[in-house]
Amino acid sequence: MESKLSDQEITELRQELRGRAQTLKSQVHKELLATGNEQYIELAGRVHDSGDESVADLLTEMSIAIVDRHVKEMRDIDAALGRITDRVYGICIECNNPVPYERLQAYPTAKRCYTCQTRYENSYAQPKRPGL
Ligand SMILES: [Zn+2]
């Protein structure tokens, strides 16, 4: 199954992903500087100058709690950009059906179609039955 996205749609979504990555990067840069910690300030410089280097990789290496919450999103964005390169972007990783463009617009890092995402979340966050 191939993605049904047009080149134009792919371009728009790629811009969206890159824009989001830039926003996250400057946020992380600011948060690291705000710590006043010398080591983190040095890292903030590396984040700022990272260019194409993955900021998520830099941060994972250091494992810094204050920016941890951004790292997952950065990873998702890296993965989505990688899927664009591999021409598998917009295809559900579970069922291989196309992920609708409207869903990707709302959530450009989506790996699954609605059906598979719902199933995934339900099985992942299944509350334990209380013992009787
Ligand atoms: Zn699916």
Side-chain angles (χ1 to χ4, degrees):
M1 182 67 77
E2 290 211 337
S3 163
K4 288 200 175 126
L5 299 171
S6 67
D7 288 350
Q8 171 71 23
E9 287 167 342
I10 294 264
T11 304
E12 276 171 24
L13 291 165
R14 191 199 276 133
Q15 266 168 9
E16 178 70 31
L17 286 161
R18 288 197 173 142
R20 183 66 193 144
Q22 278 305 319
T23 305
L24 280 170
K25 195 166 135 174
S26 49
Q27 212 167 328
V28 163
H29 180 244
K30 251 187 274 171
E31 285 175 16
L32 287 171
L33 288 180
T35 61
N37 175 315
E38 208 173 299
Q39 200 186 4
Y40 291 178
I41 290 170
E42 191 268 335
L43 181 66
R46 284 170 66 194
V47 166
H48 189 258
D49 301 336
S50 59
D52 283 341
E53 198 182 341
S54 167
V55 174
D57 283 348
L58 278 175
L59 297 171
T60 307
E61 217 176 277
M62 304 279 294
S63 151
I64 303 162
I66 51 157
V67 295
D68 258 6
R69 65 205 159 90
H70 300 311
V71 173
K72 191 187 171 295
E73 192 177 353
M74 287 176 156
R75 288 245 173 258
D76 286 346
I77 291 170
D78 282 351
L81 290 169
R83 288 199 301 277
I84 290 177
T85 307
D86 296 341
R87 299 182 170 278
V88 294
Y89 181 73
I91 301 166
C92 175
I93 59 165
E94 306 274 355
C95 68
N96 285 326
N97 283 318
V99 179
Y101 179 56
E102 297 69 38
R103 171 162 166 74
L104 291 166
Q105 269 184 311
Y107 183 33
T109 56
K111 297 191 273 273
R112 294 178 182 84
C113 65
Y114 287 112
T115 314
C116 293
Q117 185 65 32
T118 307
R119 195 187 306 137
Y120 176 78
E121 280 169 12
N122 285 344
S123 59
Y124 199 66
Q126 196 79 57
K128 278 185 182 158
R129 276 165 193 275
L132 291 173

